[in-house]
Amino acid sequence: MYRTILVTGATSGIGYALVEELTRLGYQVFATGRNQEALTRLRQATGCLGETADLADPAALLALYASAEQALGPIDVLVNNAGMNSRKAPLVETSLEEFDQQYAINLRAPYLLAREALKSMQPRGRGYLINVVSTVAKRSSETMGIYTAMKQGLAGLSQVMMKEAQPHGIRVTTLFPGGTDTGFRPQARPQYMQPASVARTLVHLLTLPEDVVMHEMTFRPPVELE
């Protein structure tokens, strides 16, 4: 059913592993991320298409979506995977610049890309939006206040997307992955999920029966018991 896929945050962690898995299964993928060297390696290894983009720049986002459709044709699936947390700090030690940066990447960027995707998908009566949030949105973690607020905002926005999109034949799933051993953390966490495992879990969504829609999904490594 789905053929063309746009993946953000594809030059590391879950996004990189996701592009590897999707291309292995024969999907046509347009990947984007901040690291040109990593994107070049990914393109050479998988045959995906893609380009780097500054997700904090609204004009660059619109150009990115247009490039993806020019390269692949109409996008069937948008995976809003990119995210960032500048650092852990109490709110009193954070700056407006940090707030604005996290807002731009974690909330505004997925909104803009999803808006463009919906404009394209609604006339076709099909498509899939997958918004990767985090289990951080399900709790209130000290020293992660801005990141938590943005991820909770994305979770709420994603639920609205689902209600607006589903009557047009478009699926929307909000993902809440738990601890994953990626470069997002400075220390290795081998007890956490591997990016490839998260990628394989995500890909299963694309093969669900026609009469099943996954509105949201929470999954964690065995060491997390929340």
Side-chain angles (χ1 to χ4, degrees), residues 10-223:
T11 54
S12 64
I14 294 171
Y16 198 101
L18 178 60
V19 174
E20 290 181 314
E21 181 69 6
L22 288 169
T23 53
R24 185 184 69 81
L25 294 171
Y27 293 99
Q28 298 181 37
V29 180
F30 192 94
T32 186
R34 292 175 293 176
N35 188 321
Q36 180 62 64
E37 182 180 347
L39 182 60
T40 299
R41 289 198 307 270
L42 183 62
R43 293 186 62 173
Q44 291 173 343
T46 66
C48 74
L49 301 176
E51 61 185 48
T52 57
D54 180 5
L55 298 191
D57 181 350
L61 279 170
L62 300 181
L64 170 69
Y65 195 87
S67 293
E69 290 213 315
Q70 183 176 16
L72 299 182
I75 299 300
D76 295 327
V77 182
L78 167 64
V79 182
N80 275 317
N81 169 70
M84 61 84 64
N85 182 33
S86 53
R87 64 192 176 105
K88 290 186 176 182
L91 288 173
V92 294
E93 297 178 9
T94 59
S95 67
L96 178 59
E97 289 74 19
E98 288 176 289
F99 186 96
D100 288 344
Q101 183 186 34
Q102 291 206 52
Y103 161 70
I105 301 296
N106 295 326
L107 185 54
R108 189 176 66 191
Y111 150 72
L112 286 171
L113 289 173
R115 188 190 68 182
E116 295 308 295
L118 287 170
K119 289 179 183 177
S120 174
M121 292 173 180
Q122 284 186 0
R124 291 181 279 140
R126 60 189 296 271
Y128 204 153
L129 305 181
I130 299 175
N131 295 313
V132 181
V133 183
S134 167
T135 51
V136 74
K138 293 183 173 292
R139 55 183 183 270
S140 301
S141 301
E142 301 93 331
T143 73
M144 296 182 72
I146 298 174
Y147 183 65
T148 298
M150 299 308 163
K151 287 298 188 178
Q152 288 179 343
L154 178 56
L157 185 64
S158 187
Q159 292 298 311
V160 174
M161 289 181 196
M162 180 269 293
K163 291 185 176 181
E164 293 186 357
Q166 197 163 298
H168 296 277
I170 302 165
R171 299 182 182 198
V172 179
T173 298
T174 312
L175 289 187
F176 297 92
T180 308
D181 188 19
T182 69
F184 195 77
R185 295 178 173 84
Q187 300 86 19
R189 297 291 181 89
Q191 73 274 28
Y192 282 178
M193 296 182 292
Q194 294 302 301
S197 299
V198 177
R200 288 197 296 270
T201 302
L202 192 156
V203 168
H204 283 312
L205 295 170
L206 304 180
T207 62
L208 290 175
E210 287 294 315
D211 58 347
V212 175
V213 180
M214 184 74 72
H215 288 179
E216 62 178 52
M217 181 168 65
T218 302
F219 55 105
R220 296 181 166 96
V223 296

